[in-house]
Amino acid sequence: MKLLTTLAISVILALSSSAAEKYKLKLAATYESNVPALGEAPKKFKELVEKMSNGRIEVRVDYPSKHKAAFAVLDMVKSGQYDLGYTASYFYKGKDAKLMLFTTVPFGMSVSEQHAWYNYGGGKELSKKVFAEHNLVTFLGGNFGMQMGGWFKKEIKTIDDLKGLKLRMTGLGGEIMSKLGVNINTIPIGELYMALEMNTIDAVEWVSPALDISFGFQKVAKYYYTGWQEPASENEFYINKKLFDKMPEDLKYIIEAATKVVSDYVYEYATYQNAVVLDRIKKEHPDIKITSFSPEIMDALKKATDEILNELSAKDPMFKEILESQRSYMKIGREWTKISDCAYIKNSDK
């Protein structure tokens, strides 16, 4: 009798499991599959949600080579053409300027500061309001950390050295540089090395050592400048809000849990690889000078940044609210960073 009861319960559980609604989801990625960490992130998300949901969720990942729209992920998920997306919100600044605030801003917060603000300082709540307007639910998907200031073929000592310089830099950083007299160029990714080698451009900003090394910029540009324009480059998972709102609560938690695992993977991998590749650059290319812009240039960049951000704030009350929230937290968060991480490095790395 006990055996029959056990078998009956097993059959009921099996039937209820098979009867549970299944979701076949399509995910559009901004980064190609061979991009370190960022290309792997959607695959890891797929593996996690499929295993944790015991097959109730299936995910098909489409990369730019298939969907042909790397920087249209927001619209594709918003409209329902895709159920999910993996991208960075600052790619859609032209559509809605305040979206970029959830990726990074020049002279903004470090990764730890930004995550603290987002999770505990009101950032998540502001994000929900903003992305709901685009029919999206978002989760952090991995921060690539501080980005370098770019590869330059000549040393930049003064602001005058920037005037007329042909630089490949996108986004808000490019706008800021243009205010200092730099000629901004938007050459396609696949043509960057040739453009630098043939003097079509004088300098190029891409990401950081882990991603820059494969392009070979170090062969033709001998000055590698430290960053200011993207101190915390956050990527995100987008989910169509109408779809997400209808999903069972347990599957919602599974999706959120999977994004947290992927987020940790991206940040940790990026940190590790940037260190390893930087060491490689120093050993294999001793002629590369890793340096920083002068205080004069940094002050000018900071002034131009504030001017642009304040202009955007004047046009959009919500942009202003988000920016003021970030600046407010940064005032106290930066003080802790200074007496913790910065002080430790300064006093111990001698």
Side-chain angles (χ1 to χ4, degrees):
M1 186 68 178
K2 184 181 289 186
L3 177 60
L4 289 174
T5 302
T6 302
L7 288 172
I9 292 172
S10 298
V11 170
I12 291 170
L13 289 173
L15 288 173
S16 62
S17 176
S18 62
E21 187 173 2
K22 296 183 178 180
Y23 293 82
K24 294 186 177 182
L25 308 179
K26 296 185 299 180
L27 185 153
T30 284
Y31 312 100
E32 199 50 75
S33 61
N34 61 352
V35 176
L38 300 179
E40 190 70 21
K43 299 180 204 173
K44 288 190 174 293
F45 173 81
K46 167 185 167 68
E47 292 170 4
L48 286 164
V49 295
E50 289 182 349
K51 287 180 180 178
M52 289 192 291
S53 70
N54 196 27
R56 289 168 63 200
I57 299 177
E58 293 181 13
V59 180
R60 189 188 86 195
V61 178
D62 287 351
Y63 289 98
S65 55
K66 181 170 183 177
H67 60 65
K68 311 296 183 184
F71 303 112
V73 169
L74 184 145
D75 282 334
M76 291 193 292
V77 179
K78 176 181 179 178
S79 66
Q81 181 181 348
Y82 277 86
D83 306 298
L84 304 121
Y86 186 68
T87 189
S89 294
Y90 66 176
F91 293 136
Y92 313 103
K93 173 182 174 293
K95 183 173 296 293
D96 185 346
K98 54 186 173 286
L99 297 181
M100 71 176 178
L101 296 174
F102 297 102
T103 302
T104 189
V105 291
F107 299 99
M109 295 177 282
S110 67
V111 177
S112 59
E113 291 166 349
Q114 187 164 304
H115 282 176
W117 167 79
Y118 183 86
N119 287 307
Y120 305 105
K124 186 181 294 185
E125 290 71 25
L126 290 167
S127 175
K128 286 180 180 178
K129 289 181 183 179
V130 170
F131 284 99
E133 297 175 3
H134 296 278
N135 189 34
L136 297 174
V137 172
T138 65
F139 296 104
L140 302 185
N143 203 303
F144 220 81
M146 172 66 72
Q147 297 202 9
M148 293 292 283
W151 298 85
F152 289 70
K153 299 184 81 169
K154 70 173 186 177
E155 188 172 10
I156 306 298
K157 296 180 179 179
T158 68
I159 292 176
D160 287 338
D161 291 332
L162 287 173
K163 293 178 180 176
L165 189 84
K166 294 173 291 185
L167 168 66
R168 194 277 183 187
M169 177 182 276
T170 59
L172 186 58
E175 289 183 40
I176 293 164
M177 275 289 199
S178 69
K179 288 178 76 73
L180 271 61
V182 176
N183 293 325
I184 298 301
N185 199 304
T186 54
I187 292 171
I189 297 170
E191 301 173 18
L192 291 180
Y193 177 81
M194 186 63 69
L196 195 61
E197 185 181 43
M198 301 299 291
N199 296 318
T200 302
I201 54 176
D202 305 306
V204 58
E205 178 266 343
W206 184 232
V207 183
S208 55
L211 297 187
D212 290 2
I213 191 70
S214 61
F215 284 86
F217 301 138
Q218 67 278 2
K219 298 176 184 177
V220 291
K222 302 302 181 180
Y223 295 91
Y224 197 21
Y225 279 86
T226 58
W228 55 275
Q229 76 288 1
E230 294 184 35
S233 307
E234 191 68 54
N235 296 278
E236 290 176 286
F237 283 97
Y238 289 173
I239 304 176
N240 180 278
K241 189 175 186 301
K242 290 181 180 178
L243 168 68
F244 190 74
D245 287 346
K246 294 177 183 178
M247 294 181 77
E249 289 301 310
D250 62 327
L251 295 187
K252 290 180 182 180
Y253 280 111
I254 285 172
I255 287 173
E256 182 176 5
T259 64
K260 288 183 180 297
V261 174
V262 173
S263 181
D264 288 345
Y265 156 72
V266 170
Y267 179 59
E268 291 163 5
Y269 183 92
T271 301
Y272 176 79
Q273 281 298 111
N274 279 326
V276 169
V277 176
L278 177 62
D279 182 64
R280 177 181 158 192
I281 290 173
K282 288 181 176 181
K283 289 177 178 177
E284 297 179 5
H285 303 276
D287 56 333
I288 297 297
K289 184 177 181 181
I290 300 173
T291 187
S292 300
F293 293 117
S294 68
E296 174 199 19
I297 292 174
M298 292 296 281
D299 287 345
L301 290 169
K302 181 67 165 60
K303 180 181 177 183
T305 298
D306 288 340
E307 288 174 356
I308 292 176
L309 292 177
N310 290 338
E311 288 171 5
L312 291 170
S313 292
K315 296 177 183 177
D316 185 341
M318 180 57 77
F319 186 103
K320 181 179 180 181
E321 182 179 352
I322 299 167
L323 184 63
E324 288 183 347
S325 176
Q326 290 183 339
R327 286 173 168 173
S328 177
Y329 175 74
M330 192 170 168
K331 284 182 180 179
I332 59 174
R334 183 55 50 90
E335 289 306 309
W336 169 240
T337 301
K338 286 178 181 178
I339 68 165
S340 56
D341 292 351
C342 293
Y344 166 72
I345 293 171
K346 180 181 177 181
N347 296 325
S348 64
D349 192 14
K350 295 179 182 179

